[in-house]
């Protein structure tokens, strides 16, 4: 696998399903102003960036309240919710359904589109986590299952444990600064048909000041954010998240999808 393998598209396949999901979406971590974030999310959905990531661990529950507010304005089918659930919710399969139903009530929905445990943990056995995930999916509270921040070896372990479901998505850090997944997770995802949801794609804004990113941006008459996002979403099987509370950034981030980096750009960015 090399970074030269590119796959540009507005939507990409979800795992091995027949569904496609938006190549770019927004997360709800580290929001400063929830009123602005609500406006920005609604704009993002209007522009087709409708994959929204949320977690029970973000902002003491305020990110889940934000989803409820969003859903008061749109149909449930207009957004695709990927949910990163805390291990504590999955620590006992017999109570996982009840705990997850509370989460869904807080968000004002009956289901999430992809449910993923937040990280591989020593506190709860993987067997227990998998049983709890399956129980939640059996009840129709999650359409699909995924994993957040699991290594290839750990993903394989889960694939062997799951009886009725597949892993459609794996969430992982990926940016111009953090390229480790190009060596293992991207080739694995291409081979096994898993969608990667890249997060921290702008390194919380730090990547925007890098001279090489700025140089490539200037060459194309684009912004640093558009180059940094495009570098990530250009990869096969990779969709991405960023986070913004500004409508002007939503519009700018949407336009990142249409940029086409060339080999010279990719060579430069791969050295960063
Ligand atoms: N699996 C995990 O462990 C994990 C970890 C981290 C994050 N996540 C998820 O991934 C999401 C994204 O990650 P992140 O929050 O770390 O975001 P990020 O994409 O690394 O950076 C977001 C920052 O970039 C700024 N930004 C966005 N668009 C911009 C633009 N066009 N120009 C200039 N600045 C721009 C935002 O500021 P403004 O708001 O001012 O626009 C914000 O400060 C999170 O919200 C969360 O849902 C998951």
């Amino acid at each position: 696998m090399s970074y030269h393998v590119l796959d540009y598209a507005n939507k990409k396949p979800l795992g091995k399903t027949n569904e496609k999901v938006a190549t770019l979406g927004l997360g709800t971590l580290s929001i400063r102003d929830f009123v602005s974030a609500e406006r920005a999310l609604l704009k993002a959905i209007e522009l087709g960036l409708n994959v929204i990531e949320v977690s029970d661990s973000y902002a003491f529950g305020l990110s889940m309240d934000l989803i409820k507010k969003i859903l008061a304005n749109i149909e449930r089918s207009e957004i695709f919710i990927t949910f990163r659930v805390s291990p504590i919710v999955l620590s006992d399969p017999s109570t996982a359904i009840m705990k997850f139903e509370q989460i869904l009530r807080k968000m004002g929905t009956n289901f999430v589109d992809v449910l993923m445990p937040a990280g591989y943990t020593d506190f709860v056995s993987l067997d227990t986590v998998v049983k709890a995930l399956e129980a939640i999916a059996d009840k129709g509270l999650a359409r699909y299952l995924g994993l957040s921040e699991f290594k290839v070896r750990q993903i394989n372990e889960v694939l062997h444990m799951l009886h009725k479901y597949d892993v459609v998505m794996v969430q992982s850090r990926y940016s111009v600064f953090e390229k480790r997944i190009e060596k293992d997770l991207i080739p694995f995802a291409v081979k096994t048909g898993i969608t990667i949801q890249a997060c921290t794609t702008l390194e919380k804004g730090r990547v925007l000041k890098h001279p090489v990113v700025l140089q490539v941006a200037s060459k194309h008459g684009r912004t640093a954010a558009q180059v940094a996002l495009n570098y990530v979403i250009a990869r096969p099987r990779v969709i991405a998240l960023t986070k913004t509370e500004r409508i002007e950034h939503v519009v700018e981030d949407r336009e990142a999808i249409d940029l086409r980096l060339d080999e010279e750009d990719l060579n430069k960015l791969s050295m960063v």
Side-chain angles (χ1 to χ4, degrees), residues 27 53 84 171 203-204 242-246 249 253:
E53 195 250 14
R84 193 169 181 265
Q171 192 181 59
E203 297 288 339
K204 308 219 179 274
T242 183
K243 169 257 150 193
T244 182
E245 293 158 48
R246 295 171 202 253
H249 284 173
D253 295 346

Side-chain angles (χ1 to χ4, degrees), residues 117-129:
Y120 191 91
T121 172
D122 290 335
F123 300 118
V124 188
S125 80
L126 199 52
D127 185 52
T128 302
V129 166

Side-chain angles (χ1 to χ4, degrees), residues 27-236:
T28 56
L29 176 67
S30 314
I31 289 173
R32 299 178 300 265
D33 176 345
F34 279 85
V35 176
S36 306
E38 184 182 339
R39 282 197 290 265
L41 273 177
L42 286 169
K43 184 69 183 175
I45 294 160
E46 182 194 321
L47 296 181
L49 310 185
N50 70 338
V51 176
I52 308 299
E53 195 250 14
V54 62
S55 172
D56 53 313
S57 67
Y58 295 171
F60 306 103
L62 291 178
S63 295
M64 294 190 286
D65 297 338
L66 176 61
I67 299 297
K68 190 169 197 165
K69 288 192 177 135
I70 297 289
L71 285 173
N73 292 280
I74 59 164
E75 297 295 326
R76 174 65 183 84
S77 58
E78 289 179 76
I79 58 170
F80 188 94
I81 301 175
T82 63
F83 195 90
R84 193 169 181 265
V85 67
S86 302
I88 188 74
V89 176
L90 307 174
S91 60
D92 176 359
S94 66
T95 59
I97 290 173
M98 184 259 297
K99 287 178 187 160
F100 198 64
E101 279 172 338
Q102 280 172 4
I103 285 173
L104 290 174
R105 271 198 295 280
K106 195 160 170 60
M107 291 196 293
T109 181
N110 297 326
F111 65 94
V112 296
D113 294 283
V114 180
L115 175 66
M116 35 190 145
Y120 191 91
T121 172
D122 290 335
F123 300 118
V124 188
S125 80
L126 199 52
D127 185 52
T128 302
V129 166
V130 167
K131 284 196 175 102
L133 288 173
E134 288 193 317
I136 291 170
D138 281 348
K139 193 87 177 154
L141 309 181
R143 293 175 62 225
Y144 298 108
L145 299 179
L147 300 167
S148 176
E149 301 295 347
F150 275 55
K151 296 186 192 330
V152 168
R153 178 180 53 77
Q154 298 162 343
I155 300 166
N156 265 322
E157 269 184 74
V158 175
L159 286 172
H160 282 108
M161 286 177 174
L162 282 170
H163 298 298
K164 289 180 263 176
Y165 301 96
D166 203 4
V167 171
V168 300
M169 186 179 281
V170 172
Q171 192 181 59
S172 182
R173 275 189 69 176
Y174 183 35
S175 72
V176 169
F177 287 178
E178 174 52 75
K179 303 190 181 81
R180 273 178 290 186
I181 69 167
E182 288 178 4
K183 289 197 177 61
D184 53 7
L185 184 56
I186 294 180
F188 178 77
V190 169
K191 200 169 111 198
T192 54
I194 291 176
T195 302
I196 297 173
Q197 185 175 51
C199 56
T200 320
T201 47
L202 297 181
E203 297 288 339
K204 308 219 179 274
R206 285 188 303 118
V207 82
L208 306 177
K209 297 187 188 90
H210 196 280
V212 173
V213 178
L214 288 167
Q215 196 187 11
V216 174
S218 160
K219 174 180 148 185
H220 290 275
R222 296 296 203 116
T223 67
Q226 289 171 334
V227 167
L229 289 173
N230 191 274
Y231 179 86
V232 168
I233 59 175
R235 311 299 131 172

